[in-house]
Amino acid sequence: MERRETPIIVRNNYMLWIALIFLCAYGAMMVFSATAYQCSVSEKFNYDSFFFVKRQTIFMLAGLAGILVLQFADYRFLKYFAVLLYLSGILSILLLKTPLGVSANGATRWIKLPGIGQFQVSEWVKICVIVFLAYLIDKNKQHLGSIKMTIYLWIAGLIPTALLFELSNDLSSSAVVIGICFIMSFISTRTEKFHLAVFIAAVAVVVLYVLSIWNNMPTPEQLNDMSFRVGRIAAWLDPDRYAANQGHQTLQGLYAIGRGGVFGKGLGGSIQKLGQIPEAENDMIFSVICEELGIIGALVLIYLFGYLIYQIARVMVSAPDLFGGMLSLGVFAHLTLQAIFNICVNLAILPNTGIPLPFISYGGTAVFCLLAGEMAIVFSVEHSIGREPRKKKRSRR
């Protein structure tokens, strides 16, 4: 008589779904709260309070539907398209410098696609980089103790990073892409000392660059003539000095957080979102959350992110092969870095980079790529856990 083994890994599919649905619902609620009034009084939005939230919900539902379908696909098929995906990511960045490129707020981050609308290139690039790095790590698993292999991985990440930085002026996405690359290489390779040395050197360079700006702070008038990146850093170092230009958004976000206190002013009760915070539904939405729902609402959101990331980590360590583990690690790194960067920007711990809060900030491309792209991959890896054939043990008679 045979007996079944008790699975070591407990499937967490439904827990991933719960975390995702709560985050998406939280995001839709806050997008509505941040935009309802402006839309209701603007002819541009047909006086429709639900203009933004309806568009966001459509992309969310499409992304969730993508997960429902793609979770049953075998994630291993991505190995055969990894190089093509990587090249498509590079090509999409180059398209930013064609007539298809769309610029706003000093950056060119979108391309206009017929019949689809604006498509944010960086969101697609992140998926392509994660898949390609996972493919390289899996294909060269026997060389992961080599510094040369580490450098190859970094080069694969630096190419799209440099292109995003130069062609789109997108510092935030560049930082996230290189961060994903660094984390994936650090976890997968056996070159910890080399990683640590390069990390310390990079931090030193950044600190020296910031100090050089600090020692030569421009006047508010000079700031308008300086590069966009220098202006962002200067405004972060002394937002009060540049309150009339690039320091305005940072200050208004801090005012919103301060007004919220512990329990907030209530959903819909934000004052700062009414024209004080530019595009409050995007990268500064965390400030609106703090103002309306207080520290309690912010902590609930952080808990939801932490729980989702924890569930992705469980999938990562339980994946049936290295490729699946690296794919999950890439998604883990992306969500962790982007959430931390956004929250730190809202708290003025980091310069304003225009990075959105995953699942929460308004943006159809971002939420669809996160759901139907990255999370669908995680669900596919999770779906394979426990479905690999197990060896049967004979019971003693």
Side-chain angles (χ1 to χ4, degrees):
M1 184 176 179
E2 295 179 350
R3 64 181 182 182
R4 293 183 178 177
E5 291 182 349
T6 302
I8 297 175
I9 305 301
V10 179
R11 290 174 58 76
N12 61 333
N13 183 288
Y14 70 98
M15 301 309 295
L16 278 168
W17 274 113
I18 289 173
L20 266 185
I21 290 171
F22 269 95
L23 273 172
C24 288
Y26 202 124
M29 175 182 73
M30 292 313 305
V31 167
F32 173 71
S33 179
T35 60
Y37 176 76
Q38 292 94 321
C39 291
S40 67
V41 297
S42 174
E43 183 180 0
K44 178 181 177 181
F45 304 115
N46 301 319
Y47 305 104
D48 182 3
S49 302
F50 296 89
F51 182 87
F52 279 99
V53 73
K54 284 192 296 187
R55 293 166 63 91
Q56 185 79 340
T57 302
I58 289 172
F59 282 102
M60 281 182 177
L61 293 176
L64 292 171
I67 294 177
L68 283 173
V69 174
L70 295 174
Q71 67 177 328
F72 300 109
D74 189 346
Y75 64 88
R76 297 174 186 87
F77 83 94
L78 290 171
K79 292 182 182 181
Y80 304 107
F81 301 98
V83 176
L84 287 176
L85 284 173
Y86 183 75
L87 294 176
S88 73
I90 300 298
L91 176 61
S92 65
I93 300 174
L94 297 177
L95 288 176
L96 292 170
K97 286 304 180 182
T98 70
L100 295 175
V102 178
S103 300
N105 298 324
T108 306
R109 303 183 181 184
W110 303 268
I111 55 175
K112 191 177 296 183
L113 299 178
I116 298 178
Q118 292 185 7
F119 181 85
Q120 191 168 354
V121 166
S122 60
E123 301 305 320
W124 174 246
V125 171
K126 292 167 190 173
I127 298 175
C128 297
V129 168
I130 290 171
V131 174
F132 186 62
L133 290 176
Y135 164 76
L136 288 179
I137 292 168
D138 180 70
K139 184 178 179 182
N140 299 279
K141 57 175 72 74
Q142 69 275 20
H143 303 299
L144 293 179
S146 165
I147 290 179
K148 186 183 293 186
M149 185 63 214
T150 300
I151 293 174
Y152 286 155
L153 293 175
W154 287 357
I155 291 173
L158 279 171
I159 292 172
T161 298
L163 289 173
L164 278 173
F165 186 76
E166 289 298 326
L167 300 185
S168 71
N169 205 18
D170 191 348
L171 176 60
S172 58
S173 294
S174 301
V176 170
V177 171
I178 198 60
I180 292 170
C181 176
F182 190 87
I183 291 173
M184 291 182 71
S185 67
F186 178 77
I187 298 297
S188 63
T189 63
R190 296 182 295 277
T191 55
E192 294 86 356
K193 292 181 180 179
F194 182 64
H195 277 82
L196 182 60
V198 172
F199 179 76
I200 292 173
V203 170
V205 170
V206 171
V207 170
L208 289 174
Y209 180 68
V210 172
L211 287 176
S212 69
I213 297 175
W214 174 259
N215 293 326
N216 298 279
M217 293 288 278
T219 65
E221 293 74 21
Q222 292 173 329
L223 190 69
N224 294 324
D225 299 324
M226 302 185 74
S227 72
F228 188 69
R229 302 181 192 108
V230 172
R232 286 288 180 91
I233 295 174
W236 166 63
L237 291 171
D238 192 354
D240 289 312
R241 184 176 188 176
Y242 307 107
N245 40 36
Q246 293 200 40
H248 175 78
Q249 190 176 40
T250 299
L251 286 174
Q252 296 304 321
L254 291 175
Y255 294 156
I257 294 170
R259 289 188 74 253
V262 177
F263 299 104
K265 300 300 181 182
L267 188 64
S270 170
I271 300 299
Q272 299 302 115
K273 70 184 180 184
L274 304 178
Q276 296 299 319
I277 302 177
E279 300 183 18
E281 72 277 7
N282 291 324
D283 50 297
M284 300 300 290
I285 198 167
F286 185 77
S287 297
V288 178
I289 291 171
C290 291
E291 185 178 4
E292 296 190 350
L293 305 180
I295 295 174
I296 301 300
L299 289 177
V300 168
L301 177 62
I302 292 170
Y303 172 79
L304 288 173
F305 270 116
Y307 187 73
L308 176 65
I309 290 168
Y310 164 71
Q311 293 298 335
I312 295 173
R314 290 187 65 206
V315 174
M316 176 183 69
V317 300
S318 309
D321 59 11
L322 180 61
F323 184 61
M326 288 299 102
L327 288 173
S328 303
L329 173 61
V331 178
F332 171 91
H334 174 207
L335 291 179
T336 302
L337 288 172
Q338 194 155 319
I340 290 174
F341 284 174
N342 177 273
I343 292 172
C344 286
V345 164
N346 278 261
L347 296 174
I349 298 172
L350 291 175
N352 194 336
T353 58
I355 193 168
L357 188 58
F359 305 111
I360 307 299
S361 296
Y362 175 75
T365 303
V367 74
F368 180 78
C369 287
L370 278 172
L371 292 171
E374 296 183 32
M375 289 308 304
I377 292 173
V378 173
F379 272 87
S380 176
V381 176
E382 190 277 336
H383 190 262
S384 68
I385 299 172
R387 294 180 179 271
E388 298 295 316
R390 299 192 189 94
K391 294 180 179 180
K392 296 180 180 179
K393 290 183 179 179
R394 294 181 180 179
S395 62
R396 295 180 181 178
R397 294 191 178 182

